[in-house]
Amino acid sequence: MRYKAVIFDFDGTICKTAPGIVKSAKYALEAFGYDVPEDENELEFFIGPPLLVTFQERYGADAQTAEELVKKYRERYTNRGVYESELYGGIEELLAALKKDGIKTGIASSKPQVYIDKLLERFGVAKYFDCVCGVTFAADCESKASIIARCLESLGESAQNAIVAGDRRYDIEGARANGIAGVGVMWGYGSKFELIEAGAALIAEKPMDVESVALGYFEQTEESTGIFNGRIITVHEDTVLLTDGGRAKREIVDHSGGVCIAGLTDEGEVLMVRQFRAPYKETIYELPAGKLEKGEDPREAAIREFSEECGCTAQRFEYFGELYPTPGYCGEIIRLYFATGLTFGEQKLDEDEFLDVYRVPLEEAFRRVMNGEFKDAKTQIGIMKIREMIKNGSLS
């Protein structure tokens, strides 16, 4: 199912606001003589619900004292705390993608709207939102369900056509109260258990997962059964939950990933290796490549593989992209590197590895890609990318 609108929580979903909030809460509590923990992170329960409620429920403050605590909190937060915030990584890319998809976006937050507006402008993302619904200083105890309802009405969409994305149970419960599917996000201040217990329909591990949910593409793994555990790969069958509530089976290969090196000589020749590949029962040409060892830095792995297969070191060794070779069933990622200023030495091949190194002029290599002679995907992409990057001046 494709949705027409996404309603976001703010604190812990769009913006990492914990430092300013907990420091300001500590400031208020200390001013009134309350005991506060040395570790400010223990005050993160202030993030999400209305401040007036939190001061009463967590510290037993009466209504009048709670109002004074809120005033003290805002004394610091307005002048300092609001600026102790940052946008979560990947959020701007998510918002831009949703805008491009034609999906409406809104914010429903228990935070005073003046603070939300100030931070959206500060981080340059206000332009992505069709509506922003916060609270006022005079009425800051509005329920999350009510704020979400206001946002939904402002967006002009039905509950069935919207999702709510948030990091705490208040967001999920507020969504459910309005008949909206709630998506729990894992980069904020809640826990997976909290979100599931609150009734989250799906869990987003990273920001772009929210776009996948909105487009109806997302699949959430519910169960994984191991099939094979080998030296290079593991294989498992997963049961996944789809956005329409259905379930499906997926057979998946896990791989630690690999590197591929496009080495170019001073004469404009690409270094290639020729070897027998067992799955195809065929000898093929490839750019030099290799798999990552567990925990190995990709750049260091590329330098190592280039030295072992080609006997080469390079003065210049630069990353220029990555590719998913077989996304239908395998999670392997191959990182691409460009090497120049080559110095040649001795190969250091494994005992069961037999290959020769060839120098192929770049234009000839491109022609052999285009006529189908070079069939390996990473080789095709590597050659085409470096040729285009050299032509347009981004790689020289």
Side-chain angles (χ1 to χ4, degrees):
M1 174 178 178
R2 183 186 176 109
Y3 293 93
K4 295 181 179 180
V6 179
I7 297 172
F8 290 94
D9 171 49
F10 187 76
D11 293 331
T13 303
I14 295 295
C15 202
K16 185 177 182 180
T17 53
I21 291 174
V22 298
K23 289 178 187 296
S24 299
K26 183 179 180 182
Y27 173 82
L29 291 166
E30 288 178 339
F32 280 74
Y34 287 92
D35 290 330
V36 295
E38 290 185 15
D39 183 1
E40 293 175 349
N41 293 329
E42 293 183 28
L43 295 174
E44 287 186 354
F45 52 75
F46 275 95
I47 303 167
L51 290 170
L52 201 64
V53 173
T54 304
F55 281 124
Q56 291 179 14
E57 291 184 349
R58 291 282 185 164
Y59 289 91
D62 58 41
Q64 183 177 348
T65 303
E67 287 182 5
E68 293 301 316
L69 281 162
V70 171
K71 289 179 183 177
K72 199 67 178 177
Y73 168 96
R74 288 180 180 149
E75 180 182 295
R76 183 190 184 281
Y77 191 79
T78 300
N79 298 306
R80 293 178 59 188
V82 68
Y83 301 110
E84 296 168 328
S85 304
E86 61 184 276
L87 206 65
Y88 281 107
I91 288 297
E92 185 166 5
E93 292 81 359
L94 167 62
L95 296 174
L98 290 171
K99 182 66 70 175
K100 187 176 180 180
D101 296 329
I103 295 171
K104 298 176 185 177
T105 56
I107 288 176
S109 173
S110 297
K111 196 179 195 71
Q113 184 146 346
V114 63
Y115 295 144
I116 301 172
D117 291 339
K118 185 177 292 188
L119 287 172
L120 292 178
E121 290 295 336
R122 179 181 178 86
F123 296 119
V125 295
K127 61 187 177 183
Y128 295 115
F129 291 99
D130 298 289
C131 73
V132 177
C133 296
V135 298
T136 66
F137 291 140
D140 61 354
C141 281
E142 184 180 2
S143 71
K144 197 57 179 280
S146 174
I147 301 169
I148 290 171
R150 282 199 287 118
C151 189
L152 185 66
E153 183 178 5
S154 180
L155 289 172
E157 293 295 342
S158 67
Q160 292 73 28
N161 287 329
I163 57 174
V164 170
D167 68 314
R168 299 298 307 274
R169 65 179 178 85
Y170 313 102
D171 309 311
I172 305 304
E173 290 169 352
R176 292 184 66 195
N178 284 282
I180 306 174
V183 179
V185 306
M186 291 303 298
W187 54 87
Y189 303 112
S191 68
K192 191 171 186 177
F193 176 79
E194 173 187 344
L195 294 166
I196 292 173
E197 189 177 52
L202 296 164
I203 301 294
E205 299 285 344
K206 55 186 184 297
M208 292 308 294
D209 287 347
V210 177
E211 184 200 22
S212 295
V213 174
L215 293 174
Y217 302 155
F218 189 69
E219 299 180 359
Q220 180 173 297
T221 302
E222 290 192 320
E223 184 180 359
S224 186
T225 303
I227 297 173
F228 172 76
N229 187 12
R231 182 173 59 87
I232 297 175
I233 64 169
T234 59
V235 183
H236 50 95
E237 183 183 68
D238 292 357
T239 301
V240 298
L241 175 65
L242 308 177
T243 54
D244 65 357
R247 285 169 174 76
K249 298 287 187 180
R250 301 287 185 249
E251 294 177 356
I252 298 174
V253 176
D254 288 335
H255 188 287
S256 59
V259 293
C260 176
I261 308 95
L264 203 62
T265 69
D266 293 342
E267 294 75 32
E269 301 162 319
V270 182
L271 291 192
M272 304 192 70
V273 298
R274 197 176 185 207
Q275 60 188 316
F276 187 81
R277 287 302 196 182
Y280 303 102
K281 302 295 186 289
E282 186 178 335
T283 297
I284 65 174
Y285 284 93
E286 302 174 56
L287 291 177
K291 71 178 182 68
L292 285 168
E293 302 298 336
K294 187 175 182 180
E296 187 176 18
D297 176 78
R299 187 174 189 277
E300 293 303 315
I303 292 171
R304 170 179 55 77
E305 289 291 344
F306 199 46
S307 173
E308 290 176 358
E309 292 196 358
C310 298
C312 269
T313 57
Q315 292 180 349
R316 178 184 178 190
F317 215 93
E318 296 184 8
Y319 171 83
F320 73 105
E322 64 184 31
L323 61 98
Y324 297 173
T326 48
Y329 63 88
C330 184
E332 180 183 12
I333 300 173
I334 297 177
R335 282 83 174 180
L336 304 172
Y337 291 86
F338 179 62
T340 57
L342 308 183
T343 300
F344 293 86
E346 296 293 324
Q347 289 177 302
K348 306 178 189 68
L349 301 177
D350 296 335
E351 290 184 359
D352 62 349
E353 190 174 28
F354 302 95
L355 58 83
D356 290 312
V357 180
Y358 290 81
R359 301 187 186 196
V360 182
L362 179 57
E363 285 303 314
E364 178 187 335
F366 177 71
R367 287 195 300 272
R368 294 170 79 174
V369 165
M370 297 306 292
N371 68 23
E373 184 179 347
F374 293 166
K375 300 175 183 178
D376 174 58
K378 66 183 181 297
T379 298
Q380 292 183 350
I381 292 169
I383 288 171
M384 289 190 288
K385 282 195 73 170
I386 61 169
R387 178 180 183 268
E388 181 61 26
M389 292 169 76
I390 289 172
K391 284 179 64 179
N392 66 28
S394 61
L395 203 61
S396 58

